[in-house]
Amino acid sequence: MIRALIMFDVIIVGGGPAGLSAALVLGRCRRRVLVCDHGNYRNAASQALHGFLTRDGIDPAELRKIAREELRRYTTVELRNVEVTDAKRINNHFEVALRDGTQIFARKLLFATGVVDHVPMLDGIETLYGSSVFHCPYCDGWEMRDQALAIYGKAEQGKGLALELTAWSKDLVLCTDGPSELSVEDIDRLIHNGIQIRENKIARLEGTDGVLERIMFLDGEVLRRRALFFSTGQQQRCDLPAKLGCEFTDKGAVNTSDYQATNIPGVYVAGDASRLIQLAIVAAAEGAEAAFAINTALQKEAYE
């Protein structure tokens, strides 16, 4: 095992908008920063990133490329394409293990690791995900506006997403792929808002060149749709905040303060892993906010 006795001011786990934004601010504060990025991104299937001021419609990979290039001028910031496999708090610092066997040390840890969506296990979804099957109407609703849309989900999740999508289309069908698990009141509300409900079991999704054309049901029925939005849950991409003892909300997000600090001293979490508003621009803002808090904490410790 390689053992490098290097003490960083901050180790950032995750190289998406939150992690790279934090690295930028901390680099400008002349902090010694290591960004560890394993290269797995929630928006890997997305063709474009939306709602990011001055970068609306950009390829997510291009945004990361631009951010990495901007970080090059800050000589105290290092980026490594490597996964963090373990982290533990020892007195007033952290020992971090990397996939390549390296052990490194830091005064503060920032997790910007995001979440993993539970993509429905539907035949045919692989070639459609990211082009006509989506999980976020704020990200892709505009492009699908006024189209025939399907919503995939049950109970509160399905109902909530279906009602949310009324802002983008009036041609909506909620497909629950079996019993809807909706109350009579929920069903009445959906119908009142012009949303159809299909409880038929789904056989497969069909389309051409990434464009959804129809939903095929096991009973032989066919539903023609242009796109599908799903709400089937998500989970934390990284289990290290839990291992370190971080508290979680009842929604499964890491519980953080206004400045992205967790209940574990020295551990911060920014981006989708800690918030219900999961937009790239929000993640970037939270990364900057976390960087401000981390730099402030390091300054105070230096004078104690």
Side-chain angles (χ1 to χ4, degrees), residues 257-271:
S257 69
D258 292 339
Y259 290 95
Q260 310 307 128
T262 71
N263 60 299
I264 302 302
V267 177
Y268 300 77
V269 178

Side-chain angles (χ1 to χ4, degrees), residues 47-51 56-57 131 134 136-147 149 168 226-227 229:
Q47 298 180 342
L49 184 154
H50 294 288
D56 189 46
S131 55
F134 313 102
C136 175
Y138 286 91
C139 301
D140 299 289
W142 168 260
E143 285 66 34
M144 297 296 113
R145 65 193 184 280
D146 299 324
Q147 299 293 313
L149 306 180
W168 287 273
R226 171 60 180 80
F229 287 80

Side-chain angles (χ1 to χ4, degrees), residues 76-92:
T76 59
V77 177
E78 179 181 350
L79 292 97
R80 297 188 197 178
N81 297 318
V82 66
E83 180 183 1
V84 173
T85 57
D86 196 15
K88 51 188 174 183
R89 192 168 190 270
I90 303 174
N91 298 323
N92 61 347

Side-chain angles (χ1 to χ4, degrees), residues 89 94 109-112 236 240-242 244-248 253-270 273-275 290 293-294:
R89 192 168 190 270
F94 298 89
L109 278 183
L110 171 58
F111 288 96
Q236 292 285 322
L240 293 181
L244 287 165
C246 292
E247 296 176 349
F248 288 75
V254 181
N255 195 12
T256 57
S257 69
D258 292 339
Y259 290 95
Q260 310 307 128
T262 71
N263 60 299
I264 302 302
V267 177
Y268 300 77
V269 178
S274 69
R275 286 291 183 272
I294 290 169

Side-chain angles (χ1 to χ4, degrees), residues 220-232:
E221 287 195 31
V222 178
L223 175 64
R224 295 192 175 276
R225 296 284 93 179
R226 171 60 180 80
L228 180 147
F229 287 80
F230 66 85
S231 180
T232 48

Side-chain angles (χ1 to χ4, degrees), residues 117-138:
D117 293 293
H118 297 162
V119 181
M121 297 180 66
L122 297 173
D123 186 20
I125 198 171
E126 297 85 359
T127 60
L128 303 171
Y129 187 36
S131 55
S132 58
V133 173
F134 313 102
H135 63 262
C136 175
Y138 286 91

Side-chain angles (χ1 to χ4, degrees), residues 210-240:
V211 178
L212 177 66
E213 295 172 345
R214 65 190 70 85
I215 298 173
M216 309 296 294
F217 296 98
L218 286 176
D219 60 12
E221 287 195 31
V222 178
L223 175 64
R224 295 192 175 276
R225 296 284 93 179
R226 171 60 180 80
L228 180 147
F229 287 80
F230 66 85
S231 180
T232 48
Q234 58 187 216
Q235 67 187 49
Q236 292 285 322
R237 182 176 293 278
C238 179
D239 63 359
L240 293 181

Side-chain angles (χ1 to χ4, degrees), residues 15 18 141 250 304:
D250 57 3
E304 288 180 351

